[in-house]
Amino acid sequence: MVETTPDLSHRSQGAPALPGADMSSVAARNARPIRIEPDLDFIRSLNQRAGNALKKCFQCGTCSATCALSSDRLPIPRKEMAWASWGMKERLLNDPDLWLCYQCNDCSTSCPRGARPGDVLAVVRQEAVIHHAFPRFYGEWANQPHSIPLLLGIPAALLTLALVLRAPLENALGISRSLGPRISYSYSNVLPHWLLNTLFLLIAFLAVLCMIRGVLRLWCSMRTTCAGDGRALRAKGFLASLGVALKSVLAHDRFSKCAQSRSRYWSHLAVFFGFLALSLVTLWVITAPYNPLIQGNFVYPFSFWNPWKLLANLGGIALVGGCLWMIWDRLRNGEEAGVSTFFDWALIATLLAAALTGFMTEILHYVRLEPHRHLAYFVHLVLVGALFLCLPYTKLAHIIYRTAALTSAAYYGRDSTGPAMRVQATTSQGMEV
Amino acid sequence: MASEETSSGGGRRPARLTVLLIVLLLVPFAYSVVGRFVPKGTASDEVFLERPPAKYKRCVKGTDYMRYHHWELLRETREQVVRYGIRGEIALDRCRECHQKRERFCDQCHSAVSLTPDCFHCHYYP
């Protein structure tokens, strides 16, 4: 009771009409007329993809009441449902709170009208990725099933080109092709590390550049949404906010609050830590020649019981297991897992295929099948390349956008919303009434 | 009050799990860092080829081939001898003329990559 009251007065002075903030600031905003120009095509396309949800929603607010992540400072998903019904496309696509929903579908299963707000938000997130993508036409193109051949073809062509150019480049740069006195049954006689590192760093650089552009777009719009007329209510420094966000991402604490589809927490945890482990091992191997910590003591390929190899294998198993779990969940519990679109399947399938071809490469390596292991490795590299090239355009972009949204929530002090505080807030209101 | 307690209990479990997973992720780092600063018996894990006494000028095939494909050559030879009775130049016995000791030559790589070939179950190669 004591905690919430000063906060409300504080906000009414700052007056940046926060979505779902207290009544006084909303009243201040309503003093001047707001003209809504509905984007009818947007409403139509949302309705098409989320089962006519917007026609069913009658704004009862059950969704926000059942959502474990919703709070008085940061209410989801009722306001998003309203904006969607009104066709406020810009507002919706720039909404940071979109990314604070984990689609547990607690709201969808308890909606008295079967409007499935969780699915609507998932579809809007997909639209937001395309909206913030740079270049945007590529984002639109990359999310269509008929683009798959070219999406895989581009990294395949790049890798083939690199292999064709390998011999002349090695001659020109004076890179020795002899293996020296080292004994290792490695891949470097066909796909040397210098070539792969250069190519993939280039791909990653491009992807990160486009991603930065996209995330800056989102950040700017979040600033407008959260800070209104520029009088920002900063609660923390930027780095501290980023720390809070990363901690939340690592702990999956928001994910763990979902009641309806508890298994999503476990499958995502497996995929997340599997992916993280594999990324760490890859980074370690790439930086090995320049890493002062391991110089002189680095043998590649690792032996089977080397801790790095063990970590990579465990990570791979977690990734495959998590992906299979997600697929099983989506196929079996369609109702609870929510609608699955091409956007969802593309990411799960690419991750699973990349992990499986990785294991295939390893197995073929151990059974010493000479051309086959290189072929498997090639396919694996193409899939990994496709994953990176499409980072800003596919569902994988949620890594960045969600972290940005969590950071902004901490930055503008909208995140201190434990369940305990929600209980206090409701009792205080009840007492006032 | 009750709901508050359950939710805070649910919040502690993921935190503990996360710490455990992060520690797991850091184990290889610790291994590498410790391995860098703790001196070992051998200079490194790396396996180097033992240069054999020069009885012959060169091996039956090039070094690169022998390094990575000698088992294919031996497997082929085995098939020729066992199935078709064709004995050629190549025999495991003759390898020993240059590469004299098994543990100094064959085993070094094989054990480094956790490989236990079954050649020596039959063939005497001290």
Side-chain angles (χ1 to χ4, degrees), chain A residues 320-393:
Chain A
V320 170
C323 283
L324 289 177
W325 196 341
M326 283 177 175
I327 292 173
W328 171 254
D329 235 13
R330 282 177 182 276
L331 290 179
R332 197 196 48 172
N333 306 329
E335 193 69 3
E336 285 168 21
V339 283
S340 302
T341 57
F342 175 73
F343 194 62
D344 307 302
W345 289 121
L347 179 61
I348 300 180
T350 320
L351 277 176
L352 183 63
L356 285 178
T357 48
F359 275 121
M360 187 66 86
T361 311
E362 191 182 354
I363 291 165
L364 289 175
H365 176 81
Y366 279 128
V367 299
R368 284 355 192 213
L369 277 174
E370 183 52 20
H372 310 73
R373 68 184 183 119
H374 286 295
L375 202 67
Y377 190 33
F378 185 88
V379 176
H380 175 66
L381 288 172
V382 165
L383 284 165
V384 174
L387 210 58
F388 273 111
L389 267 179
C390 295
L391 166 69
Y393 315 110

Side-chain angles (χ1 to χ4, degrees), chain A residues 46-60:
Chain A
L46 281 188
N47 262 334
Q48 237 168 37
R49 283 185 285 172
N52 266 342
L54 304 179
K55 286 186 182 166
K56 293 173 188 162
C57 172
F58 61 5
Q59 283 289 308
C60 62

Side-chain angles (χ1 to χ4, degrees), chain A residues 131-311:
Chain A
H131 177 79
H132 294 297
F134 175 81
R136 197 170 290 166
F137 74 89
Y138 191 77
E140 275 162 19
W141 173 80
N143 279 301
Q144 287 158 4
H146 62 73
S147 315
I148 295 176
L150 215 53
L151 282 176
L152 293 175
I154 292 171
L158 283 175
L159 203 56
T160 314
L161 185 73
L163 283 177
V164 170
L165 290 178
R166 178 194 160 193
L169 272 176
E170 276 180 338
N171 289 336
L173 296 171
I175 294 169
S176 162
R177 294 179 79 167
S178 88
L179 294 152
R182 275 190 62 189
I183 293 179
S184 62
Y185 183 63
S186 68
Y187 288 87
S188 50
N189 51 340
V190 176
L191 293 153
H193 276 185
W194 72 266
L195 189 87
L196 296 183
N197 290 353
T198 316
L199 181 67
F200 275 82
L201 275 180
L202 210 67
I203 288 178
F205 181 70
L206 263 178
V208 166
L209 220 60
C210 294
M211 194 71 247
I212 286 177
R213 184 67 216 274
V215 90
L216 278 181
R217 273 183 185 172
L218 181 69
W219 187 264
C220 289
S221 58
M222 285 191 299
R223 198 172 51 199
T224 338
T225 318
C226 298
D229 47 5
R231 274 175 290 176
L233 306 165
R234 262 185 239 167
K236 279 196 189 72
F238 177 76
L239 284 179
S241 316
L242 189 64
V244 171
L246 290 179
K247 210 173 131 196
S248 161
V249 169
L250 275 175
H252 276 55
D253 56 354
R254 292 174 70 83
F255 235 127
S256 69
K257 283 182 191 153
C258 293
Q260 192 60 51
S261 44
R262 185 84 187 140
S263 60
R264 283 173 76 96
Y265 163 74
W266 291 107
S267 56
H268 192 271
L269 194 77
V271 169
F272 176 82
F273 274 94
F275 193 82
L276 193 63
L278 291 167
S279 313
L280 279 178
V281 177
T282 309
L283 275 179
W284 194 249
V285 171
I286 289 174
T287 57
Y290 322 103
N291 191 335
L293 283 178
I294 43 172
Q295 257 171 21
N297 197 22
F298 183 76
V299 189
Y300 192 80
F302 300 118
S303 64
F304 189 79
W305 295 109
N306 185 297
W308 286 103
K309 186 78 168 184
L310 286 177
L311 181 65

